[in-house]
Every structure is written in structure tokens, then in C-alpha cells.
Amino acid sequence: MQERIRCNLCRVTLALDVEAKDGSRTIYSGDLKSESQTVIPVSEKVPLVKLAKEQKLRLEAYARLGKGKTHAKWQPVSMCTYKNFPKIMISNKCDTCGKCVQMCPRKVLVKSGNKIEIRDLMACTLCQDCAEACPTPHAIEISGEENAFILNIESTGALPPERAVTEAVSLLDKQLKEIEGQIKVKKE
């Protein structure tokens, strides 16, 4: 049984009325006409259907407001990862042989004259390959910052990544306050 939507502000109608007159035609998400200027397909290039010559298609679709908590189709983030913020220490023990530069799979280090320098700290995966390749013990030390990390978020396009993080933190804050309230009630 289909769920009924009672709130007019929670639903937007998208219409499609197309015809392939001269030959076959691919219909894309950008062909959908929305009744709202703010609710449009995230991408205009998603193929919906291919019509043969003289075929027509008329449809009405509904975009419904929802939350990721209810169903995954409403989640604004498709991928989220984090890692420790890299910390690379190159000591004066380094003999600048360059083996660490050659071994680094992400090209984080570079040899500049008689010195090994960090070229791209953010690319470091903390793999330790450069430190293990160095013939001098403890010349290069790789670790993660204790109180810092890198968060990577890939948005579905429904929300900008910045807003998705802000909303998530807001929800987490609300849930923590609820837990705190329950703890105080049980103590009394």
C-alpha cells in the first residue's frame, strides 16, 4: 500500500511530456519540469528512457521530502572517510640518499638539493614505506597528530558537504543532550 503524503510543502511535482519525432531520442533527467525552481534534479545528464521514432512519453513524478534516518535514499552523503592528520618529522640524521622519496607511493616527499622536503602532506596515508626505506634508523618518523584528523565527504548533491556535516553535528548534539537528560533522571 502506497504511503499518502498530506503536506503540500513536503512534495513537489515533476512533469515530463516528450516525443521522438524524427528518430530515436534519449530522455534525460534535465527534461523533467519542476513546479518549484528550487527543487530540480541533482544532475541533468541522467538518462531516463530511450524513445524510438514517433514514441511519446508523458508522466508525472513526485519528489518527496524525507530524512536519511527513515530511508537510505534520502541520505545526502554517499561516502565518508577519515584519517589521522599526518605528522612527518625529518631529522638531521637524514643523509639525503633519496630512497624515501622513491619508495613513497603518494609522492609526499621530494629531494631538493641536499635536503628532503615535504611536497604534499595531505597526500600522506601514514603507510611508513618512506621510513622503512631509509637506511638511517629514525631519520624519518611518520605518525598521526593526536588531536587532528582529515574528514573526506562525498555528497550526493542533495546538500553541500559543509551543510551535511553541520546538520550531522547538530543531530549528534541533540542526541547527546537527550542521553545526558536520561542519565540525570536516573541518578536522582
Side-chain angles (χ1 to χ4, degrees), residues 46-57:
V46 177
L48 301 177
V49 67
K50 191 168 187 173
L51 298 178
K53 185 178 178 179
E54 298 181 9
Q55 282 187 326
K56 296 179 184 181
L57 176 63

Side-chain angles (χ1 to χ4, degrees), residues 14-33:
L14 298 142
L16 188 63
D17 189 3
V18 291
E19 181 179 357
K21 294 178 181 177
D22 301 327
S24 65
R25 177 180 170 195
T26 303
I27 308 304
Y28 294 93
S29 54
D31 295 320
L32 289 164
K33 305 299 177 213

Side-chain angles (χ1 to χ4, degrees), residues 33-76:
K33 305 299 177 213
S34 176
E35 68 181 1
S36 169
Q37 292 179 349
T38 57
V39 180
I40 57 172
V42 172
S43 172
E44 295 182 354
K45 299 177 182 179
V46 177
L48 301 177
V49 67
K50 191 168 187 173
L51 298 178
K53 185 178 178 179
E54 298 181 9
Q55 282 187 326
K56 296 179 184 181
L57 176 63
R58 182 179 291 168
L59 68 88
E60 190 173 270
Y62 304 100
R64 185 170 47 135
L65 181 64
K67 294 184 177 185
K69 183 178 179 178
T70 309
H71 195 284
K73 66 184 170 190
W74 287 303
Q75 291 180 354

Side-chain angles (χ1 to χ4, degrees), residues 42-129:
V42 172
S43 172
E44 295 182 354
K45 299 177 182 179
V46 177
L48 301 177
V49 67
K50 191 168 187 173
L51 298 178
K53 185 178 178 179
E54 298 181 9
Q55 282 187 326
K56 296 179 184 181
L57 176 63
R58 182 179 291 168
L59 68 88
E60 190 173 270
Y62 304 100
R64 185 170 47 135
L65 181 64
K67 294 184 177 185
K69 183 178 179 178
T70 309
H71 195 284
K73 66 184 170 190
W74 287 303
Q75 291 180 354
V77 175
S78 60
M79 191 259 319
C80 180
T81 63
Y82 75 95
K83 67 176 183 177
N84 287 25
F85 193 88
K87 183 176 170 183
I88 301 174
M89 303 294 288
I90 303 170
S91 75
N92 56 5
K93 295 179 188 177
C94 178
D95 64 2
T96 66
C97 67
K99 289 183 181 179
C100 57
V101 174
Q102 295 170 354
M103 283 303 294
C104 181
R106 304 291 301 269
K107 308 297 181 209
V108 173
L109 304 172
V110 65
K111 186 173 179 180
S112 178
N114 286 340
K115 197 173 182 182
I116 302 295
E117 295 177 348
I118 300 166
R119 182 181 64 89
D120 187 3
L121 181 64
M122 300 299 278
C124 182
T125 61
L126 308 174
C127 68
Q128 302 288 333
D129 286 352

Side-chain angles (χ1 to χ4, degrees), residues 143-167:
S143 62
E145 291 282 348
E146 190 173 317
N147 295 317
F149 63 94
I150 299 168
L151 181 67
N152 290 311
I153 294 181
E154 186 176 297
S155 173
T156 61
L159 290 177
E162 298 83 4
R163 179 152 177 228
V165 170
T166 303
E167 295 287 333

